[in-house]
Amino acid sequence: MKKIVIALILLSVFSYSISLVAYADGVDLDFHKVFEQHGSIMMIIDPETDAIVHVNKAAANFYGYEIEQLESMKINEINILTHEETEKEIRAAADEKRSYFVFKQRLASGDIRTVEVYAYPYADWNKTWLVSIIHDITAKTELEEKNRKMTNAFLFVLSGAVIFMAFAGLLLFKSYRKVKAQNHEINNFNELWRTFIDADDSLIYLKEENLKYVFVNKAFEDLYNRKASEIVSYDDFDLIDDELAVVHRKTDFDVIEKKAIVVDEVKWENRTFQTTKFPVKLLNDQYGIGAYAKDVTEAYNNKRILEKANEQLETINKELMEKQYTLEEQNAVIEELNSQLEEENFKQHQQKEILHAIIDSLGAGIMMTDTDGAILFINKAWKDIFRHLEFGYQFYPQDVFYINGVTLSSTERIIENMMIGIEDSNEILSRLKSLLTDNRSRYSVDMEQTNPVKRFINLYSNPCINQNNNSFGRVFVVRDVSHQKEVDRLKLELISTVSHELRTPMSSIMGFSELILTRELSAERNKEYIGIINSEAKRLTTLINDFLDIQKMESGKQVFNKQLTSIDHIIEEAVSLFQNFSIKHKVIYHKSAESIPLVYCDRDKLMQVLSNLLSNAIKYSPDGGEVKIVSEVGSNRVKIQVSDQGLGIPAYVEGKLFTKFYRIHNDDRREIGGTGLGLAICKEIVRAHGGEISFESIIGQGSTFSFYLPYSKSSTDNDSVKKAAGDLYTDNKDDVLIVEDDKSTVKLIKEVLKDEGLEMHAISSGEEALQLVAKNSYKLIILDIALSGQLDGWEVLKELKGNQETSNIPIIISSVYENKGVASQNDIADYLIKPFEPQEMVRMVQKALKGKLNSKMLVSNDDVLTEVILDMLNTRGLTVKQIDHSGNMLIITLEGEEGLKNE
Amino acid sequence: MMNKVIIADDERALRMLIAGTLEIGNYEILEADNGIDALELVKQEKPDLIILDVMMPGMTGYEVCKRIKTDSDISDTKVLILTAKGQQSDKEAAWEAMADIYLAKPFSPMELLSTVEEILNK
């Protein structure tokens, strides 16, 4: 932009100058106007007095004074630099070889402006003047300043001629004015301007309308090396080669025809000329061509150099930018790599942490060594296993996982310390040491440590092999296998105990039966042997049953049929059962509370507990005495104690007594038989009821076994419980449920079945029947079809058979009409058609129960007789279910047998 | 000459069985129901043979056997170990205790009889 502005200014200067030239010949030239109207700020100064001799309009505008005012001022009234500063600036300009000075000047308004002053000395006839062209550079930014400096050379070259022309014009004008003012006549005016024009380096010439030269200046003459007189009347074809002449001619025509100013650049003999051609009105009213041709080779070259430099700069810039771009790219890649690396690092760190956590959480002690035998890490379990050793802490802190700086020798020392208290450790130790630097072998060893702790340790060591089949270290794993060893030992012991327990009676059975078979024995001996065989077989059976029981209980497979039951009743029953067990023993029940709360328990199993404890109490007090049962009611539990006055239990067995197969062997007990399972069974049963069993004993004085059962408070009041159960409460003694709405039929059934030793309960509605069946376990249901409630017999039947828990209960349908089809479809035991024969019903019931019927015995209440009977029942393997007193008679109810009625 | 045999077993039925088995032979039979008594009886009676049960109160059959065999006074006593266990480890324990012969329960009385006869005839 700036360049264009300068070019315009120059152009205007040229035009003025040329018009001056063009009209110089006899025309009254208005030099004043040329100078005054010039766009640049111009000033002519007398360097001797510093007086401003002349200024132009642009200067007046710039400084804000009238022309006359300025012309009466001195330059130092405008320049605000001190004399020293001015001197300094002039020196700097000289040093830098620049053609301008930078000054600060004050305007009329008081503003301070920074200006560039181009000063050209010009020698007049008798005096030297200083022509200054001033540029206001105050507003220029630093950047522009740089730019300006760069273009300075160019500017200077271009402006040189202009200034000169203007200056010449000025002086002419001035002289003219002076001439006028002083009435001084200048005759040789032509000569004067001719001098100025000839002083110009530029080619100045004028062509006629026929394109022949009419005037050329000295520079023109010098260039062509011909006299002006020769050139005049030549045209271009006479001066230069045709090709260039054609170019000139073309522009010449353009100027004449279009009356336009044409600027072109022509190369001639390695030089570049910028020619400004303009139309000139000749005296004959024709238009000729005025031209001002400036050798711009230098400027052009400078420009070229500048352009080239610019280009290079741009290229460099571009390259730089590209480089910067690639650098950025590289940076981005590096950043990406960095972040990946970081992520990788993080992952690795995380993996390491995870590995650490896993290894530390393992139960087995793990130590890893590198291929040189130096420890890499030790996990928590390892430290725990060897925590009794202080050896480690000098090598590694307790809570550090990864170990640094441990050498082979310290690893060896650690292992040596580990072996303290290990049996036969020498061989193991040397093996372990050799393993440290051995990257192939595997090793496993069981060690028994006796000091400072007694335990078994399993140690194994494997090499760590990577995918390339190279070893990168070795791992040592230690486990405390004491528990495992103990379990193994117990298992072995159990097997040998069971095998012993089974083989002993087996030996008798096989041995005696073989003797009977192979020998002629007396009848008495025969019977004796058979008796032994029998009792040993029974012993075996009891053993197997007990064993199966305990297995079932221990594995949690035993189903406990719990009901709200009166503990009191069970105790009383147990006591009555053992009352006459032995003549030497007296079994007493001491009830400490008036009412004992109902306990949610399995009646049969609890009976088993009491039987075991009572039979133990009797067995282990061979000299007889008192066996006492005491019941106590606590705030939330019932405590039952069974104590005897027998042998007592030695203190050392504590903790083992309730272990299965555990039996105390000593002389006193040698004849007392048993499987060693009774107490273990008791413990399991009591525990299954949420209670605990324990014992206290003084050797020689007797033992007391106590167990407690929890009860819930709400069950304290029998009545309320019964009410809560909706009047459906039973003691679960009932074997048969009669669902019948006709009372006389119920009475008849009860009468008929009474002799079969069955406990019966009758209910009239189907709904109630279902509730009762859900709560109790009946052996048989006799079901009428017409019932009092909503449900009829068929619906009750469907419900019972559809429920898995009740589908196995045999059902006899009693009805007035027969419908055997339905009966067979529903898996009905039998079909009883009313009215029925009593014997028919008994037969059906017996068939349905398949031996599940209970038998009842009537025995006169005589101690000796009862004992004999109980003994007999016992030897026959019959279980007494219940003994009831009736006057001076005992009613003994037996479970599951009907064949005793005859005896 | 009548051979003297001690039967040591804590099970009465087994003592009866062994005694019954040996009944038809010409043996003088003595019984003990625990290990300690059995050893004492051997020292007193100096029997030709002792039939020892392993699992006995007081002292195990192996221990009794070992004591007999290491006591020069009675080390001539033949020892037959009867054990309810039937495992290899028990057999080894019997040999370790220097028992003359080992018989596992349940045993056949006839086999026992012939074993006893064999030992005592040697």
Side-chain angles (χ1 to χ4, degrees), chain B residues 8 52-56 59-62 81-85 105:
Chain B
L52 268 174
D53 181 33
V54 174
M55 306 266 275
M56 276 189 299
M59 197 185 281
T60 69
Y62 298 134
I81 286 190
L82 268 185
T83 173
K85 301 181 181 181
K105 285 186 198 172

Side-chain angles (χ1 to χ4, degrees), chain A residues 365 378 380-393 396 398 414-415 417-420 422 447 449 455 457 459 478-479:
Chain A
I378 293 177
K380 201 170 162 296
W382 184 288
K383 289 170 196 165
D384 284 348
I385 288 169
F386 296 110
R387 65 177 170 272
H388 60 281
L389 298 175
E390 278 176 27
F391 68 88
Y393 309 139
Y396 57 85
Q398 176 74 338
I414 287 175
I415 292 175
N417 278 315
M418 264 166 50
M419 290 296 135
I420 292 170
I422 304 272
M447 304 183 285
Q449 190 166 24
R455 60 180 174 184
I457 294 172
L459 182 148
V478 288
R479 283 173 306 151

Side-chain angles (χ1 to χ4, degrees), chain A residues 51-63:
Chain A
I52 300 167
V53 181
H54 197 72
V55 299
N56 71 351
K57 209 172 178 181
N61 285 341
F62 174 68
Y63 291 110

Side-chain angles (χ1 to χ4, degrees), chain B residues 35-91:
Chain B
I36 294 161
D37 287 358
L39 188 62
E40 279 308 304
L41 207 59
V42 173
K43 283 176 183 167
Q44 280 171 31
E45 300 290 334
K46 301 218 165 36
D48 300 292
L49 170 71
I50 178 163
I51 299 172
L52 268 174
D53 181 33
V54 174
M55 306 266 275
M56 276 189 299
M59 197 185 281
T60 69
Y62 298 134
E63 188 61 32
V64 175
C65 178
K66 218 180 266 178
R67 296 218 181 172
I68 291 170
K69 290 299 183 185
T70 51
D71 185 339
S72 55
D73 274 358
I74 47 174
S75 60
D76 286 346
T77 316
K78 304 281 184 196
V79 179
L80 187 157
I81 286 190
L82 268 185
T83 173
K85 301 181 181 181
Q87 286 147 338
Q88 193 59 30
S89 59
D90 296 309
K91 213 171 190 171

Side-chain angles (χ1 to χ4, degrees), chain A residues 234-253:
Chain A
Y234 279 14
D235 63 11
D236 286 321
F237 289 94
D238 303 321
L239 276 176
I240 46 177
D241 59 81
D242 290 359
E243 199 184 334
L244 190 60
V246 169
V247 174
H248 275 304
R249 179 144 299 186
K250 193 178 173 293
T251 53
D252 288 350
F253 281 136

Side-chain angles (χ1 to χ4, degrees), chain A residues 561-579:
Chain A
N561 182 20
K562 290 179 189 172
Q563 313 263 340
L564 271 178
T565 309
S566 162
I567 278 283
D568 214 19
H569 284 176
I570 303 173
I571 297 173
E572 276 168 8
E573 212 178 307
V575 170
S576 65
L577 196 63
F578 283 91
Q579 199 108 61

